[in-house]
Amino acid sequence: MTILCCGDALIDMVPTVSADGQPCLRPLPGGALFNTAIALGRLGAPTAFFAPISTDPFGDLLRATLADSGVRTDLAPRTDRFTAMAFVTLTDGQARYRFVDQGSAGVMLAPADLPALPPAITALHFGATSLMQEPCGSAFEALALREAGQRLISLDPNIRPALLAEPDAYRARLARLIAVTDILKLSDEDLAWIGGEGLIDHWLDAGVKLVVVTRGGAGAEAWADCGHVVVPAVRVPVADTIGAGDTFAAGVLAGLAACGRLTPDGIARLEIGDLRRALSLAAQAAAVTVSRTGANPPWAHELAPRVPVV
């Protein structure tokens, strides 16, 4: 069983201070789907990554970071297009982003470039800027629609409204994707942008098996046929919030994979204890990520003494 993370890999340019006290930018590997893949690999879940990766030095860094975290990259083609960058602004630890990515390696993925997937891939995870840009947005949508029903589909929209030239068209894309999604993870900001809390029951009635909403320092909650679960945020000193939601998504997926629920049949048989354990793992993992600079998810051994038994 392998989870395939499909989407953006880029370099976060994070503000810091140089050794001589001058403000500067530190390049760190990032991208929402890249971060989730890294977190999954470090938590011990069999994971692969799919999106084109540049042959430039930043692309080499991204590929090496994936490999070092145990993430397979054999489905990720190399290209001589440049690596996208996100320039990060931090306000009280909260991250905001400006992207330089038009024509970049990941954005230029086209529907014709989609590979056949090996049987070992049992779940696919999508989201973020890779669904908001073209041609890659159409390519990833086509992949999700092609594989739905055969493999579990997970979606974390991670919406960046400033990137959307046509918000109504993107809402339509999300509606098409949610219609084939098994696990839908959103922030409270994503949920408000799409249409609000009233949609949760609609999505569950329409076939989504699990809806998870993160609420920052207020924790997270989830809804499924087996019931409703709320978990508090784990209190830690916050360095920044880069990669927090991506790590939370990875914790949910890793927790469900560990109890055999990360297939279309498995998620349909989800039990309340499975859900509590997965959300607890996600909260612990996200807490470690926000406690250190950049998207630097934890390894399983960093969590083992701290994950509560539910």
Side-chain angles (χ1 to χ4, degrees), residues 89-232:
T89 301
L90 296 174
T91 304
D92 296 326
Q94 298 294 312
R96 294 290 182 266
Y97 305 85
R98 295 195 67 177
F99 295 89
V100 178
D101 59 1
Q102 290 300 312
S104 66
V107 168
M108 297 311 294
L109 177 75
D113 301 326
L114 296 176
L117 301 183
I121 304 293
T122 57
L124 288 82
H125 182 62
F126 297 91
T129 61
S130 51
L131 295 176
M132 303 175 208
Q133 310 279 20
E134 292 297 340
C136 64
S138 293
F140 288 119
E141 179 183 353
L143 181 60
L145 297 180
R146 188 188 82 186
E147 299 297 328
Q150 305 174 70
R151 310 171 206 260
L152 181 141
I153 303 297
S154 171
L155 175 64
D156 179 2
N158 203 351
I159 298 163
R160 310 290 185 196
L163 292 182
L164 297 173
E166 299 181 45
D168 288 343
Y170 187 63
R171 284 188 173 93
R173 167 165 288 165
L174 286 180
R176 293 190 297 271
L177 288 167
I178 292 171
V180 300
T181 291
D182 299 293
I183 299 173
L184 177 60
K185 178 265 174 191
L186 316 98
S187 68
D188 49 1
E189 291 179 345
D190 293 335
L191 184 58
W193 188 89
I194 294 172
E197 303 272 341
L199 287 171
I200 293 172
D201 286 339
H202 167 73
W203 289 328
L204 293 169
D205 291 342
V208 178
K209 302 300 187 299
L210 172 61
V211 178
V212 179
V213 177
T214 58
R215 304 189 187 279
E221 56 187 316
W223 296 260
D225 284 348
C226 62
H228 175 227
V229 170
V230 178
V231 295

